Amino acid sequence: MSIATSPTPATTPDAAPAGDGRLRQLVADWSSDRQAFQVSWGKAMMWIFLLSDTFIFSCFLTGYMTVRISSTIPWPNPSLVFSLKIGGVEVPLLLIAIMTFVLISSSGTMAMAVNFAYRRERVRAAILMFVTAGFGVCFVSMQVFEWSKLILQEGVRPWGNPMGAPQFGSTFFMITGFHGLHVSAGVIYLVIVAVRLLKGRYDSVDTASGKPAGNYQIVEIAGLYWHFVDLVWVFIFALFYLW
């Protein structure tokens, strides 16, 4: 009489451990948002950087508004402080209006550069990026003139202000200087990307079809940074020069 034995499951050498399957599932879950929205890591990292920068500028501007509201000493009149004498007539906020026009115009040229980049017209995209960088240099130059006028002619210092509240100098130089640093860094960034674009560093060829398949998304990433700098200036313009 033979005794029936239950078959034992055969173990194959190719069977993956259960832990490996759970790890793969965990990685798939973490990356599901990226797969759903099709966002590259470069663009995602730029958005994270801009979000952190938004918090910094928000803290600066909130601190400025708090200091200005709580100040017992009269705040200087922006129309008088930031005026230019043209033909013997004081024109209020003339330089600031030109600076704002230049920076807003640079957003238009940057948007056109992104458009040409996605059409794979790298020469036109690079030229427009150089134009955008030129607008940035013009803006920073006018800001240097504005600072020199306040420091040398009006006597404004970060620790004092002969025209009113002493906190005016510290908040003004801190916020506009931080923004000017961003514009200067953006100019360098745009020039580097434009030069690499002209040299064909982002060009590639599809091996299957033999057609150009360059990845020019770096132009859009640079555009995100530049548009952010322009947007921040809108808030600075409204709170510092119009309030």
Side-chain angles (χ1 to χ4, degrees):
M1 181 175 177
S2 61
I3 299 175
T5 58
S6 58
T8 58
T11 59
T12 60
D14 296 334
D20 186 47
R22 288 194 295 269
L23 179 61
R24 292 178 181 272
Q25 184 61 40
L26 182 62
V27 173
D29 291 341
W30 282 357
S31 60
S32 61
D33 54 345
R34 178 176 176 271
Q35 295 174 359
F37 294 102
Q38 296 297 320
V39 178
S40 66
W41 289 119
K43 188 184 294 186
M45 292 302 102
M46 177 56 75
W47 276 115
I48 293 175
F49 169 75
L50 295 181
L51 181 62
S52 63
D53 234 17
T54 301
F55 291 149
I56 296 175
F57 275 108
S58 298
C59 292
F60 282 174
L61 292 175
T62 302
Y64 158 74
M65 290 186 290
T66 303
V67 168
R68 180 166 180 177
I69 292 174
S70 59
S71 176
T72 57
I73 304 175
W75 202 263
N77 187 353
S79 298
L80 299 177
V81 175
F82 303 106
S83 63
L84 283 181
K85 183 174 293 186
I86 305 296
V89 179
E90 292 286 344
V91 182
L93 301 178
L94 177 61
L95 180 64
I96 310 304
I98 298 175
M99 293 170 60
T100 304
F101 176 78
V102 167
L103 206 57
I104 297 302
S105 299
S106 69
S107 280
T109 56
M110 189 67 233
M112 293 170 63
V114 173
N115 182 31
F116 281 118
Y118 275 101
R119 289 162 57 181
R120 304 191 188 282
E121 299 183 27
R122 60 184 179 90
V123 176
R124 292 186 176 181
I127 291 174
L128 285 169
M129 292 185 73
F130 281 126
V131 173
T132 305
F135 279 133
V137 172
C138 184
F139 175 86
V140 174
S141 300
M142 287 187 288
Q143 193 171 56
V144 170
F145 173 78
E146 177 191 31
W147 275 39
S148 61
K149 179 176 179 294
L150 287 177
I151 296 173
L152 300 177
Q153 298 183 16
E154 306 295 341
V156 180
R157 300 290 187 271
W159 55 84
N161 170 35
M163 296 177 291
Q167 297 91 341
F168 170 80
S170 58
T171 55
F172 174 78
F173 289 127
M174 179 182 65
I175 295 178
T176 59
F178 193 58
H179 179 265
L181 180 63
H182 278 69
V183 176
S184 302
V187 168
I188 299 173
Y189 184 27
L190 292 180
V191 170
I192 293 175
V193 173
V195 171
R196 292 168 66 94
L197 198 63
L198 284 178
K199 291 182 177 180
R201 296 289 296 273
Y202 306 111
D203 291 343
S204 61
V205 178
D206 189 358
T207 56
S209 62
K211 296 181 180 180
N215 184 8
Y216 296 156
Q217 193 181 69
I218 184 65
V219 180
E220 182 184 3
I221 295 174
L224 289 175
Y225 177 86
W226 194 258
H227 293 317
F228 169 79
V229 170
D230 293 353
L231 180 61
V232 170
W233 176 254
V234 172
F235 288 96
I236 295 176
F237 175 76
L239 294 176
F240 259 106
Y241 303 104
L242 298 182
W243 183 12

